Structure formats: structure tokens, C-alpha cells
Amino acid sequence: MIIAIDGPAGSGKSSIAKKLSEILNIKYVETGALYRAIAYYIIQNKMQNYNNFEFLKNLKIEQKFINKTARTFLNGEDITDNIKDEKVGNLASEISKFKQVRDFLIDIQRELSKDGAIVEGRDIGTVVLKDADYKFYITAKLEERAMRRYKQLNKSNVSYEDILEILKNRDISDLNREISPLRPSRDAFIIDTTNLREDEVIEEILDIIRKNLCIGTVISREGQKLSVISKGKVFRAIPRGKLLKSERKIYVGDIVVGKREGEFFVIEKIKERTNLLPRPPIANVSKCILMFTIREPEIVQIQLDKILCACEFLNIPSIIVFNKVDITPNEELERYVSIYKDAGYEVITVSVKENMNLDILLNRIRGDLVVLAGPSGVGKSSLIKALANVDIRIGEVSKRLKRGTQTTTEVKLYSIDNETFIADTPGFSKIELNEIMKKEDVRNCFREFSKYKCAFRDCFHIKEEGCSIVEAVSMGKINKERYENYLKIITKFL
């Protein structure tokens, strides 16, 4: 049995992993110690320029399970007790950003766990052991984690405030690193230990193992027919009796807990949703790609601004993707990219046909459940086909109207990998804003307005003399086209 345990520093995952190792009599692999071993080597050798990591070829890092305890060895020397220092830990977090380091250690981690192990770290469930039998993400509030670490280091001169700042910075580094960022695996059980004793956390984990529970994601719904993907395999899903009696509806995107029984996934529980897109209904959306073209079909800017407005209101991070840049005049492309970058949005230019910049886009959505919105004919189906390697029907652009024919008729998640899903959501592109928000909300959904503090309370920034937004438009600080679209949107509410 292989159990993957991930989580931020100070969450208690190491202690929990050690206790589980004793109870289940399974080897414990502390992957953080492997990174610390490299950091320790750098510090001991007073290395200033180590970023090429050529020295890694001279290192032999081992972890041995001695008297039911994981001991870490560097070139034959037991360094277990030497790598607990915060200075070593901080450098370990820093060097973990580098691909050379992660590539060097990934095979070591897999070799250590191949015969069964409890493996603890930052990217075990998402990268190192994607097919682990059980995955857990152990977390806790920052302040609680800092207090735990402070108590561990009570003999040192490090203050609680210093530890709090160190953990805060380490979280930022771990969460935002480009390679293998810290995040829960999609099929991991998330356990917040802030208000739990260690024995309560361990009992919860053991209960999940005893019941052989697993996590899945609902990827399609056709009437009452549900499909769930779990650990890379698609199952026909059946809600358990209690769930059926509760009359709680299950949506595409729902993360569900249940048991795999042959070709079926029996759903016992729906995990709490982070959000629910109103139309079409899809749950737990973490990003929205707004796909448009400047040419063929010609951009309808107010449509883009309306979808952006909806994303802002629903608090869904958005990425604007301009496709068909291979046939778009550079001057036009640069103008629209500038408009939206200046407004504070992330913009990626791609050509699906030429496979241009798709790697950049994929890197930005890795680990997310992404909805794809935009008008017909801009290449949404082609993008899904390219990213998810699936064969779906692609509509032709009308030669007369230069518009696409609508080909998507249902909501379905396409798996890019076990952690990343993408869905075409045609209904979201046509959403009426007055169905989901009030007129007061619209003014807060144009990012560039937030840079200016209007002197008038409850100002709608329409024609009030002295309004800072109106003045910014007249001075060219806010794009006039964006502002005119704001007026068109808000007048529908008035």
C-alpha cells in the first residue's frame, strides 16, 4: 500500500506520517529530508554559485528505515539530526523551485516507495506518486502552524513572530513556484488539523482506509446518467440511497467521495463546492479561459467585457486567450493585448492551428478545472482537442457571416491529465448579467476602475461632474472602448 501525504510546512504531516507508519507497519519516507540534504551540502560547503547544480552528480542521498524511523544519509553519513535547522529548511524550500533538483530526487523518491510506503512531502500526490492508493493533504491555519513550529523549537532563540514570517514566505514560495507548486491532488482527502488533535486526524485517515473510500470528479451528466473519473479511470456513477433521499443535485465538476465497485463508482458524499457556475451549471471552477479572435470571426469586444464582468462577480480568475494570431495583423493584436493587460488581465496569444504558445497556456492551467468561454468559431473545440487529445466535432466558420456554427450541446469535462480538466461552456458566453448581479455590482467588475477613488458615494460613473472615473477616461488613463462597453452594460440595469 502506498499512501501519499502532502501539505504546507508546520501542518503536522510529518508527525502524522510517522505515527501512521508505526500503526500500519509501513515504511515512512520523509521527502522533505531529501531536499534538506542537498541544502545541507550547499551550506556545509559554503557554495555561493550552485544554480547549475552540477554538484548533484557527486551526491548519494539515501533514506533508511532503522528501528521504525526514517534516517537520512548523505554520501554515507547519517545527517538526520543536522538538517532540522530552519536555515537548512529555508534553503531547501528555495532550491525546490529548480527542475534539476526535482528531477534528481524524483527517481529516488519512487524507488524508496515502490514496495509500499507512507510518503510525505509537497508534491507527492500530484507529481511523484500520482497512482498512490490513498492521498491526503494535511493543512492548518498559518498561525497554528507557526505556533506548532515555535513549540518544536522552544530551545532556540527564534521568536514566534519570526517563525510566522518564515512560514508565510515559505507558503508563498511553495504555492507559486513554477515547477510542481504546492496544491492538493484532485483525488486527495483534505484534512484541516487546526482544531484537531493528532490522534483525531490519524483516526480519520484510518477510517478512510478501512472503508476503502476514494475521491472522484463528476465529468458528465446526461439526464440521470453520471460519469466519474477517479485515479485516471472513468466509472458509471450511482448515488448511494441516503444521497438520493436528500434530493441534493449532483453537477458536473462536483468532487465526490465514494467506493469503486467493479465498473461503478458509488457516490456517498458530495464535497462542499467552492462555487457553482449558474449557466450551464458546473461546480468547482478554478479558472476561466475567455477565448476570442481578432479576425475570423471578428472580435465583438462588448461580449468579451460582459464575460469578464461575470467572472469578476463570480470571483473566478480569468485568462484572455486570443487565438488565430497567425492570421491577425500585428498592429491589431498588439492594440487589444495592450487594452486588456493595461486593465489588469492576463493575456496569452496563441495559434491552435500552428501549435503556438499552447505550452504556455497549459502551464497556466495545470491542476485547474477550467471552463472555456467565447463565441462560436474562435477555436474552442480545436483547443480542447489539442490540449486533451480527444476527438471532438469541430464547427466550420460561416464564409458569409464569418461566425462559427455552434457544435457543443452539453457540458462535459475533458481530462488533460489526472489533475487538470477543461470544459466548453457555451451558455456562459451568453449569460445575461442582470440574472446574476445587481447594477451596483457592475462598477466593481471593471478592474481598472479600482485604481481611482471616486469622490461621490454610490457613483455609477456615467456623467457626474467631478467623477474620477469619467476624468480618467477623458485623460486617456482608462480605455475609452472599455468604458463605453461599461456604459452599455450598466444602462441595461437602469
mmCIF file with all atom_site columns, all heavy atoms in Angstrom, residues 22-45:
data_model
loop_
_atom_site.group_PDB
_atom_site.id
_atom_site.type_symbol
_atom_site.label_atom_id
_atom_site.label_alt_id
_atom_site.label_comp_id
_atom_site.label_asym_id
_atom_site.label_entity_id
_atom_site.label_seq_id
_atom_site.pdbx_PDB_ins_code
_atom_site.Cartn_x
_atom_site.Cartn_y
_atom_site.Cartn_z
_atom_site.occupancy
_atom_site.B_iso_or_equiv
_atom_site.pdbx_formal_charge
_atom_site.auth_seq_id
_atom_site.auth_comp_id
_atom_site.auth_asym_id
_atom_site.auth_atom_id
_atom_site.pdbx_PDB_model_num
ATOM 1   N N   . GLU A 1 22 ? 3.961  3.610  12.088 1.00 0.00 ? 22 GLU A N   1
ATOM 2   C CA  . GLU A 1 22 ? 4.037  2.681  13.212 1.00 0.00 ? 22 GLU A CA  1
ATOM 3   C C   . GLU A 1 22 ? 2.781  1.813  13.298 1.00 0.00 ? 22 GLU A C   1
ATOM 4   O O   . GLU A 1 22 ? 2.859  0.601  13.509 1.00 0.00 ? 22 GLU A O   1
ATOM 5   C CB  . GLU A 1 22 ? 4.224  3.456  14.514 1.00 0.00 ? 22 GLU A CB  1
ATOM 6   C CG  . GLU A 1 22 ? 5.550  4.197  14.615 1.00 0.00 ? 22 GLU A CG  1
ATOM 7   C CD  . GLU A 1 22 ? 5.621  5.082  15.841 1.00 0.00 ? 22 GLU A CD  1
ATOM 8   O OE1 . GLU A 1 22 ? 4.693  5.003  16.680 1.00 0.00 ? 22 GLU A OE1 1
ATOM 9   O OE2 . GLU A 1 22 ? 6.579  5.866  15.961 1.00 0.00 ? 22 GLU A OE2 1
ATOM 10  N N   . ILE A 1 23 ? 1.617  2.447  13.144 1.00 0.00 ? 23 ILE A N   1
ATOM 11  C CA  . ILE A 1 23 ? 0.350  1.727  13.275 1.00 0.00 ? 23 ILE A CA  1
ATOM 12  C C   . ILE A 1 23 ? 0.168  0.696  12.163 1.00 0.00 ? 23 ILE A C   1
ATOM 13  O O   . ILE A 1 23 ? -0.243 -0.444 12.402 1.00 0.00 ? 23 ILE A O   1
ATOM 14  C CB  . ILE A 1 23 ? -0.834 2.726  13.280 1.00 0.00 ? 23 ILE A CB  1
ATOM 15  C CG1 . ILE A 1 23 ? -0.781 3.604  14.531 1.00 0.00 ? 23 ILE A CG1 1
ATOM 16  C CG2 . ILE A 1 23 ? -2.169 1.991  13.200 1.00 0.00 ? 23 ILE A CG2 1
ATOM 17  C CD1 . ILE A 1 23 ? -1.731 4.781  14.489 1.00 0.00 ? 23 ILE A CD1 1
ATOM 18  N N   . LEU A 1 24 ? 0.484  1.110  10.927 1.00 0.00 ? 24 LEU A N   1
ATOM 19  C CA  . LEU A 1 24 ? 0.266  0.241  9.769  1.00 0.00 ? 24 LEU A CA  1
ATOM 20  C C   . LEU A 1 24 ? 1.474  -0.624 9.444  1.00 0.00 ? 24 LEU A C   1
ATOM 21  O O   . LEU A 1 24 ? 1.401  -1.476 8.549  1.00 0.00 ? 24 LEU A O   1
ATOM 22  C CB  . LEU A 1 24 ? -0.104 1.098  8.550  1.00 0.00 ? 24 LEU A CB  1
ATOM 23  C CG  . LEU A 1 24 ? -1.395 1.914  8.670  1.00 0.00 ? 24 LEU A CG  1
ATOM 24  C CD1 . LEU A 1 24 ? -1.541 2.858  7.474  1.00 0.00 ? 24 LEU A CD1 1
ATOM 25  C CD2 . LEU A 1 24 ? -2.607 1.006  8.765  1.00 0.00 ? 24 LEU A CD2 1
ATOM 26  N N   . ASN A 1 25 ? 2.578  -0.371 10.172 1.00 0.00 ? 25 ASN A N   1
ATOM 27  C CA  . ASN A 1 25 ? 3.815  -1.116 9.945  1.00 0.00 ? 25 ASN A CA  1
ATOM 28  C C   . ASN A 1 25 ? 4.265  -0.995 8.483  1.00 0.00 ? 25 ASN A C   1
ATOM 29  O O   . ASN A 1 25 ? 4.581  -1.991 7.812  1.00 0.00 ? 25 ASN A O   1
ATOM 30  C CB  . ASN A 1 25 ? 3.656  -2.587 10.336 1.00 0.00 ? 25 ASN A CB  1
ATOM 31  C CG  . ASN A 1 25 ? 5.006  -3.287 10.461 1.00 0.00 ? 25 ASN A CG  1
ATOM 32  O OD1 . ASN A 1 25 ? 6.018  -2.645 10.750 1.00 0.00 ? 25 ASN A OD1 1
ATOM 33  N ND2 . ASN A 1 25 ? 5.017  -4.590 10.229 1.00 0.00 ? 25 ASN A ND2 1
ATOM 34  N N   . ILE A 1 26 ? 4.272  0.239  8.011  1.00 0.00 ? 26 ILE A N   1
ATOM 35  C CA  . ILE A 1 26 ? 4.695  0.549  6.646  1.00 0.00 ? 26 ILE A CA  1
ATOM 36  C C   . ILE A 1 26 ? 5.869  1.528  6.719  1.00 0.00 ? 26 ILE A C   1
ATOM 37  O O   . ILE A 1 26 ? 5.889  2.418  7.566  1.00 0.00 ? 26 ILE A O   1
ATOM 38  C CB  . ILE A 1 26 ? 3.545  1.186  5.827  1.00 0.00 ? 26 ILE A CB  1
ATOM 39  C CG1 . ILE A 1 26 ? 2.351  0.235  5.754  1.00 0.00 ? 26 ILE A CG1 1
ATOM 40  C CG2 . ILE A 1 26 ? 4.003  1.526  4.415  1.00 0.00 ? 26 ILE A CG2 1
ATOM 41  C CD1 . ILE A 1 26 ? 1.142  0.849  5.077  1.00 0.00 ? 26 ILE A CD1 1
ATOM 42  N N   . LYS A 1 27 ? 6.807  1.380  5.819  1.00 0.00 ? 27 LYS A N   1
ATOM 43  C CA  . LYS A 1 27 ? 7.973  2.258  5.769  1.00 0.00 ? 27 LYS A CA  1
ATOM 44  C C   . LYS A 1 27 ? 7.556  3.716  5.606  1.00 0.00 ? 27 LYS A C   1
ATOM 45  O O   . LYS A 1 27 ? 6.617  4.025  4.866  1.00 0.00 ? 27 LYS A O   1
ATOM 46  C CB  . LYS A 1 27 ? 8.868  1.831  4.609  1.00 0.00 ? 27 LYS A CB  1
ATOM 47  C CG  . LYS A 1 27 ? 10.110 2.697  4.411  1.00 0.00 ? 27 LYS A CG  1
ATOM 48  C CD  . LYS A 1 27 ? 11.042 2.110  3.370  1.00 0.00 ? 27 LYS A CD  1
ATOM 49  C CE  . LYS A 1 27 ? 10.403 2.012  2.009  1.00 0.00 ? 27 LYS A CE  1
ATOM 50  N NZ  . LYS A 1 27 ? 11.342 1.528  0.972  1.00 0.00 ? 27 LYS A NZ  1
ATOM 51  N N   . TYR A 1 28 ? 8.242  4.611  6.297  1.00 0.00 ? 28 TYR A N   1
ATOM 52  C CA  . TYR A 1 28 ? 7.973  6.048  6.216  1.00 0.00 ? 28 TYR A CA  1
ATOM 53  C C   . TYR A 1 28 ? 9.078  6.723  5.410  1.00 0.00 ? 28 TYR A C   1
ATOM 54  O O   . TYR A 1 28 ? 10.265 6.573  5.710  1.00 0.00 ? 28 TYR A O   1
ATOM 55  C CB  . TYR A 1 28 ? 7.888  6.649  7.618  1.00 0.00 ? 28 TYR A CB  1
ATOM 56  C CG  . TYR A 1 28 ? 8.019  8.153  7.680  1.00 0.00 ? 28 TYR A CG  1
ATOM 57  C CD1 . TYR A 1 28 ? 7.168  8.981  6.946  1.00 0.00 ? 28 TYR A CD1 1
ATOM 58  C CD2 . TYR A 1 28 ? 8.996  8.751  8.488  1.00 0.00 ? 28 TYR A CD2 1
ATOM 59  C CE1 . TYR A 1 28 ? 7.281  10.354 7.016  1.00 0.00 ? 28 TYR A CE1 1
ATOM 60  C CE2 . TYR A 1 28 ? 9.105  10.133 8.561  1.00 0.00 ? 28 TYR A CE2 1
ATOM 61  C CZ  . TYR A 1 28 ? 8.252  10.934 7.819  1.00 0.00 ? 28 TYR A CZ  1
ATOM 62  O OH  . TYR A 1 28 ? 8.366  12.293 7.880  1.00 0.00 ? 28 TYR A OH  1
ATOM 63  N N   . VAL A 1 29 ? 8.688  7.470  4.365  1.00 0.00 ? 29 VAL A N   1
ATOM 64  C CA  . VAL A 1 29 ? 9.647  8.205  3.535  1.00 0.00 ? 29 VAL A CA  1
ATOM 65  C C   . VAL A 1 29 ? 9.411  9.704  3.725  1.00 0.00 ? 29 VAL A C   1
ATOM 66  O O   . VAL A 1 29 ? 8.341  10.219 3.394  1.00 0.00 ? 29 VAL A O   1
ATOM 67  C CB  . VAL A 1 29 ? 9.492  7.841  2.041  1.00 0.00 ? 29 VAL A CB  1
ATOM 68  C CG1 . VAL A 1 29 ? 10.464 8.663  1.189  1.00 0.00 ? 29 VAL A CG1 1
ATOM 69  C CG2 . VAL A 1 29 ? 9.728  6.349  1.834  1.00 0.00 ? 29 VAL A CG2 1
ATOM 70  N N   . GLU A 1 30 ? 10.416 10.377 4.278  1.00 0.00 ? 30 GLU A N   1
ATOM 71  C CA  . GLU A 1 30 ? 10.320 11.816 4.511  1.00 0.00 ? 30 GLU A CA  1
ATOM 72  C C   . GLU A 1 30 ? 11.044 12.540 3.376  1.00 0.00 ? 30 GLU A C   1
ATOM 73  O O   . GLU A 1 30 ? 12.255 12.746 3.409  1.00 0.00 ? 30 GLU A O   1
ATOM 74  C CB  . GLU A 1 30 ? 10.951 12.180 5.851  1.00 0.00 ? 30 GLU A CB  1
ATOM 75  C CG  . GLU A 1 30 ? 10.790 13.639 6.221  1.00 0.00 ? 30 GLU A CG  1
ATOM 76  C CD  . GLU A 1 30 ? 11.486 14.001 7.510  1.00 0.00 ? 30 GLU A CD  1
ATOM 77  O OE1 . GLU A 1 30 ? 12.121 13.102 8.120  1.00 0.00 ? 30 GLU A OE1 1
ATOM 78  O OE2 . GLU A 1 30 ? 11.415 15.167 7.903  1.00 0.00 ? 30 GLU A OE2 1
ATOM 79  N N   . THR A 1 31 ? 10.292 12.929 2.341  1.00 0.00 ? 31 THR A N   1
ATOM 80  C CA  . THR A 1 31 ? 10.932 13.509 1.157  1.00 0.00 ? 31 THR A CA  1
ATOM 81  C C   . THR A 1 31 ? 11.514 14.894 1.432  1.00 0.00 ? 31 THR A C   1
ATOM 82  O O   . THR A 1 31 ? 12.478 15.301 0.794  1.00 0.00 ? 31 THR A O   1
ATOM 83  C CB  . THR A 1 31 ? 9.939  13.603 -0.012 1.00 0.00 ? 31 THR A CB  1
ATOM 84  O OG1 . THR A 1 31 ? 8.855  14.476 0.334  1.00 0.00 ? 31 THR A OG1 1
ATOM 85  C CG2 . THR A 1 31 ? 9.377  12.236 -0.354 1.00 0.00 ? 31 THR A CG2 1
ATOM 86  N N   . GLY A 1 32 ? 10.932 15.608 2.384  1.00 0.00 ? 32 GLY A N   1
ATOM 87  C CA  . GLY A 1 32 ? 11.482 16.916 2.724  1.00 0.00 ? 32 GLY A CA  1
ATOM 88  C C   . GLY A 1 32 ? 12.925 16.810 3.178  1.00 0.00 ? 32 GLY A C   1
ATOM 89  O O   . GLY A 1 32 ? 13.748 17.707 2.930  1.00 0.00 ? 32 GLY A O   1
ATOM 90  N N   . ALA A 1 33 ? 13.267 15.701 3.836  1.00 0.00 ? 33 ALA A N   1
ATOM 91  C CA  . ALA A 1 33 ? 14.635 15.487 4.302  1.00 0.00 ? 33 ALA A CA  1
ATOM 92  C C   . ALA A 1 33 ? 15.600 15.327 3.134  1.00 0.00 ? 33 ALA A C   1
ATOM 93  O O   . ALA A 1 33 ? 16.790 15.662 3.248  1.00 0.00 ? 33 ALA A O   1
ATOM 94  C CB  . ALA A 1 33 ? 14.691 14.261 5.203  1.00 0.00 ? 33 ALA A CB  1
ATOM 95  N N   . LEU A 1 34 ? 15.108 14.827 2.009  1.00 0.00 ? 34 LEU A N   1
ATOM 96  C CA  . LEU A 1 34 ? 15.961 14.673 0.827  1.00 0.00 ? 34 LEU A CA  1
ATOM 97  C C   . LEU A 1 34 ? 16.363 16.042 0.279  1.00 0.00 ? 34 LEU A C   1
ATOM 98  O O   . LEU A 1 34 ? 17.523 16.256 -0.109 1.00 0.00 ? 34 LEU A O   1
ATOM 99  C CB  . LEU A 1 34 ? 15.234 13.857 -0.244 1.00 0.00 ? 34 LEU A CB  1
ATOM 100 C CG  . LEU A 1 34 ? 14.715 12.475 0.184  1.00 0.00 ? 34 LEU A CG  1
ATOM 101 C CD1 . LEU A 1 34 ? 13.971 11.809 -0.959 1.00 0.00 ? 34 LEU A CD1 1
ATOM 102 C CD2 . LEU A 1 34 ? 15.855 11.591 0.666  1.00 0.00 ? 34 LEU A CD2 1
ATOM 103 N N   . TYR A 1 35 ? 15.399 16.973 0.247  1.00 0.00 ? 35 TYR A N   1
ATOM 104 C CA  . TYR A 1 35 ? 15.707 18.340 -0.193 1.00 0.00 ? 35 TYR A CA  1
ATOM 105 C C   . TYR A 1 35 ? 16.620 19.024 0.825  1.00 0.00 ? 35 TYR A C   1
ATOM 106 O O   . TYR A 1 35 ? 17.536 19.776 0.460  1.00 0.00 ? 35 TYR A O   1
ATOM 107 C CB  . TYR A 1 35 ? 14.417 19.143 -0.369 1.00 0.00 ? 35 TYR A CB  1
ATOM 108 C CG  . TYR A 1 35 ? 13.630 18.740 -1.589 1.00 0.00 ? 35 TYR A CG  1
ATOM 109 C CD1 . TYR A 1 35 ? 12.617 17.783 -1.495 1.00 0.00 ? 35 TYR A CD1 1
ATOM 110 C CD2 . TYR A 1 35 ? 13.891 19.301 -2.832 1.00 0.00 ? 35 TYR A CD2 1
ATOM 111 C CE1 . TYR A 1 35 ? 11.900 17.395 -2.614 1.00 0.00 ? 35 TYR A CE1 1
ATOM 112 C CE2 . TYR A 1 35 ? 13.177 18.925 -3.954 1.00 0.00 ? 35 TYR A CE2 1
ATOM 113 C CZ  . TYR A 1 35 ? 12.177 17.966 -3.841 1.00 0.00 ? 35 TYR A CZ  1
ATOM 114 O OH  . TYR A 1 35 ? 11.482 17.589 -4.954 1.00 0.00 ? 35 TYR A OH  1
ATOM 115 N N   . ARG A 1 36 ? 16.375 18.751 2.097  1.00 0.00 ? 36 ARG A N   1
ATOM 116 C CA  . ARG A 1 36 ? 17.216 19.336 3.143  1.00 0.00 ? 36 ARG A CA  1
ATOM 117 C C   . ARG A 1 36 ? 18.647 18.817 3.044  1.00 0.00 ? 36 ARG A C   1
ATOM 118 O O   . ARG A 1 36 ? 19.597 19.533 3.377  1.00 0.00 ? 36 ARG A O   1
ATOM 119 C CB  . ARG A 1 36 ? 16.621 19.020 4.525  1.00 0.00 ? 36 ARG A CB  1
ATOM 120 C CG  . ARG A 1 36 ? 15.405 19.870 4.885  1.00 0.00 ? 36 ARG A CG  1
ATOM 121 C CD  . ARG A 1 36 ? 14.757 19.396 6.170  1.00 0.00 ? 36 ARG A CD  1
ATOM 122 N NE  . ARG A 1 36 ? 13.682 20.290 6.585  1.00 0.00 ? 36 ARG A NE  1
ATOM 123 C CZ  . ARG A 1 36 ? 13.788 21.194 7.545  1.00 0.00 ? 36 ARG A CZ  1
ATOM 124 N NH1 . ARG A 1 36 ? 14.924 21.320 8.213  1.00 0.00 ? 36 ARG A NH1 1
ATOM 125 N NH2 . ARG A 1 36 ? 12.761 21.970 7.863  1.00 0.00 ? 36 ARG A NH2 1
ATOM 126 N N   . ALA A 1 37 ? 18.808 17.576 2.612  1.00 0.00 ? 37 ALA A N   1
ATOM 127 C CA  . ALA A 1 37 ? 20.149 17.007 2.472  1.00 0.00 ? 37 ALA A CA  1
ATOM 128 C C   . ALA A 1 37 ? 20.963 17.794 1.445  1.00 0.00 ? 37 ALA A C   1
ATOM 129 O O   . ALA A 1 37 ? 22.152 18.076 1.655  1.00 0.00 ? 37 ALA A O   1
ATOM 130 C CB  . ALA A 1 37 ? 20.055 15.538 2.066  1.00 0.00 ? 37 ALA A CB  1
ATOM 131 N N   . ILE A 1 38 ? 20.317 18.166 0.339  1.00 0.00 ? 38 ILE A N   1
ATOM 132 C CA  . ILE A 1 38 ? 21.008 18.966 -0.680 1.00 0.00 ? 38 ILE A CA  1
ATOM 133 C C   . ILE A 1 38 ? 21.327 20.350 -0.131 1.00 0.00 ? 38 ILE A C   1
ATOM 134 O O   . ILE A 1 38 ? 22.433 20.875 -0.327 1.00 0.00 ? 38 ILE A O   1
ATOM 135 C CB  . ILE A 1 38 ? 20.145 19.060 -1.961 1.00 0.00 ? 38 ILE A CB  1
ATOM 136 C CG1 . ILE A 1 38 ? 19.946 17.674 -2.572 1.00 0.00 ? 38 ILE A CG1 1
ATOM 137 C CG2 . ILE A 1 38 ? 20.792 20.002 -2.984 1.00 0.00 ? 38 ILE A CG2 1
ATOM 138 C CD1 . ILE A 1 38 ? 19.009 17.642 -3.759 1.00 0.00 ? 38 ILE A CD1 1
ATOM 139 N N   . ALA A 1 39 ? 20.356 20.950 0.558  1.00 0.00 ? 39 ALA A N   1
ATOM 140 C CA  . ALA A 1 39 ? 20.577 22.278 1.151  1.00 0.00 ? 39 ALA A CA  1
ATOM 141 C C   . ALA A 1 39 ? 21.721 22.224 2.168  1.00 0.00 ? 39 ALA A C   1
ATOM 142 O O   . ALA A 1 39 ? 22.566 23.135 2.228  1.00 0.00 ? 39 ALA A O   1
ATOM 143 C CB  . ALA A 1 39 ? 19.288 22.767 1.803  1.00 0.00 ? 39 ALA A CB  1
ATOM 144 N N   . TYR A 1 40 ? 21.745 21.170 2.962  1.00 0.00 ? 40 TYR A N   1
ATOM 145 C CA  . TYR A 1 40 ? 22.796 20.993 3.970  1.00 0.00 ? 40 TYR A CA  1
ATOM 146 C C   . TYR A 1 40 ? 24.167 20.913 3.301  1.00 0.00 ? 40 TYR A C   1
ATOM 147 O O   . TYR A 1 40 ? 25.140 21.517 3.768  1.00 0.00 ? 40 TYR A O   1
ATOM 148 C CB  . TYR A 1 40 ? 22.512 19.715 4.765  1.00 0.00 ? 40 TYR A CB  1
ATOM 149 C CG  . TYR A 1 40 ? 23.567 19.345 5.775  1.00 0.00 ? 40 TYR A CG  1
ATOM 150 C CD1 . TYR A 1 40 ? 23.691 20.048 6.971  1.00 0.00 ? 40 TYR A CD1 1
ATOM 151 C CD2 . TYR A 1 40 ? 24.432 18.274 5.525  1.00 0.00 ? 40 TYR A CD2 1
ATOM 152 C CE1 . TYR A 1 40 ? 24.661 19.695 7.908  1.00 0.00 ? 40 TYR A CE1 1
ATOM 153 C CE2 . TYR A 1 40 ? 25.395 17.918 6.458  1.00 0.00 ? 40 TYR A CE2 1
ATOM 154 C CZ  . TYR A 1 40 ? 25.513 18.637 7.644  1.00 0.00 ? 40 TYR A CZ  1
ATOM 155 O OH  . TYR A 1 40 ? 26.472 18.277 8.559  1.00 0.00 ? 40 TYR A OH  1
ATOM 156 N N   . TYR A 1 41 ? 24.247 20.191 2.189  1.00 0.00 ? 41 TYR A N   1
ATOM 157 C CA  . TYR A 1 41 ? 25.510 20.058 1.453  1.00 0.00 ? 41 TYR A CA  1
ATOM 158 C C   . TYR A 1 41 ? 25.984 21.427 0.959  1.00 0.00 ? 41 TYR A C   1
ATOM 159 O O   . TYR A 1 41 ? 27.176 21.750 1.049  1.00 0.00 ? 41 TYR A O   1
ATOM 160 C CB  . TYR A 1 41 ? 25.320 19.100 0.280  1.00 0.00 ? 41 TYR A CB  1
ATOM 161 C CG  . TYR A 1 41 ? 26.575 18.861 -0.529 1.00 0.00 ? 41 TYR A CG  1
ATOM 162 C CD1 . TYR A 1 41 ? 27.477 17.869 -0.167 1.00 0.00 ? 41 TYR A CD1 1
ATOM 163 C CD2 . TYR A 1 41 ? 26.846 19.625 -1.670 1.00 0.00 ? 41 TYR A CD2 1
ATOM 164 C CE1 . TYR A 1 41 ? 28.637 17.644 -0.914 1.00 0.00 ? 41 TYR A CE1 1
ATOM 165 C CE2 . TYR A 1 41 ? 27.995 19.410 -2.420 1.00 0.00 ? 41 TYR A CE2 1
ATOM 166 C CZ  . TYR A 1 41 ? 28.882 18.421 -2.032 1.00 0.00 ? 41 TYR A CZ  1
ATOM 167 O OH  . TYR A 1 41 ? 30.026 18.215 -2.761 1.00 0.00 ? 41 TYR A OH  1
ATOM 168 N N   . ILE A 1 42 ? 25.057 22.227 0.443  1.00 0.00 ? 42 ILE A N   1
ATOM 169 C CA  . ILE A 1 42 ? 25.400 23.566 -0.063 1.00 0.00 ? 42 ILE A CA  1
ATOM 170 C C   . ILE A 1 42 ? 25.944 24.437 1.065  1.00 0.00 ? 42 ILE A C   1
ATOM 171 O O   . ILE A 1 42 ? 26.955 25.130 0.919  1.00 0.00 ? 42 ILE A O   1
ATOM 172 C CB  . ILE A 1 42 ? 24.157 24.223 -0.712 1.00 0.00 ? 42 ILE A CB  1
ATOM 173 C CG1 . ILE A 1 42 ? 23.771 23.478 -1.997 1.00 0.00 ? 42 ILE A CG1 1
ATOM 174 C CG2 . ILE A 1 42 ? 24.415 25.702 -1.010 1.00 0.00 ? 42 ILE A CG2 1
ATOM 175 C CD1 . ILE A 1 42 ? 22.443 23.911 -2.584 1.00 0.00 ? 42 ILE A CD1 1
ATOM 176 N N   . ILE A 1 43 ? 25.257 24.400 2.208  1.00 0.00 ? 43 ILE A N   1
ATOM 177 C CA  . ILE A 1 43 ? 25.669 25.230 3.353  1.00 0.00 ? 43 ILE A CA  1
ATOM 178 C C   . ILE A 1 43 ? 27.016 24.774 3.900  1.00 0.00 ? 43 ILE A C   1
ATOM 179 O O   . ILE A 1 43 ? 27.909 25.590 4.171  1.00 0.00 ? 43 ILE A O   1
ATOM 180 C CB  . ILE A 1 43 ? 24.590 25.196 4.455  1.00 0.00 ? 43 ILE A CB  1
ATOM 181 C CG1 . ILE A 1 43 ? 23.320 25.905 3.969  1.00 0.00 ? 43 ILE A CG1 1
ATOM 182 C CG2 . ILE A 1 43 ? 25.098 25.843 5.740  1.00 0.00 ? 43 ILE A CG2 1
ATOM 183 C CD1 . ILE A 1 43 ? 22.120 25.733 4.880  1.00 0.00 ? 43 ILE A CD1 1
ATOM 184 N N   . GLN A 1 44 ? 27.176 23.466 4.055  1.00 0.00 ? 44 GLN A N   1
ATOM 185 C CA  . GLN A 1 44 ? 28.414 22.932 4.617  1.00 0.00 ? 44 GLN A CA  1
ATOM 186 C C   . GLN A 1 44 ? 29.619 23.250 3.735  1.00 0.00 ? 44 GLN A C   1
ATOM 187 O O   . GLN A 1 44 ? 30.728 23.471 4.239  1.00 0.00 ? 44 GLN A O   1
ATOM 188 C CB  . GLN A 1 44 ? 28.303 21.414 4.798  1.00 0.00 ? 44 GLN A CB  1
ATOM 189 C CG  . GLN A 1 44 ? 27.416 20.990 5.953  1.00 0.00 ? 44 GLN A CG  1
ATOM 190 C CD  . GLN A 1 44 ? 27.947 21.475 7.300  1.00 0.00 ? 44 GLN A CD  1
ATOM 191 O OE1 . GLN A 1 44 ? 27.438 22.433 7.862  1.00 0.00 ? 44 GLN A OE1 1
ATOM 192 N NE2 . GLN A 1 44 ? 28.975 20.824 7.795  1.00 0.00 ? 44 GLN A NE2 1
ATOM 193 N N   . ASN A 1 45 ? 29.401 23.284 2.440  1.00 0.00 ? 45 ASN A N   1
ATOM 194 C CA  . ASN A 1 45 ? 30.493 23.551 1.509  1.00 0.00 ? 45 ASN A CA  1
ATOM 195 C C   . ASN A 1 45 ? 30.576 25.019 1.104  1.00 0.00 ? 45 ASN A C   1
ATOM 196 O O   . ASN A 1 45 ? 31.355 25.369 0.210  1.00 0.00 ? 45 ASN A O   1
ATOM 197 C CB  . ASN A 1 45 ? 30.343 22.667 0.268  1.00 0.00 ? 45 ASN A CB  1
ATOM 198 C CG  . ASN A 1 45 ? 30.641 21.207 0.551  1.00 0.00 ? 45 ASN A CG  1
ATOM 199 O OD1 . ASN A 1 45 ? 31.781 20.786 0.542  1.00 0.00 ? 45 ASN A OD1 1
ATOM 200 N ND2 . ASN A 1 45 ? 29.584 20.441 0.833  1.00 0.00 ? 45 ASN A ND2 1
#
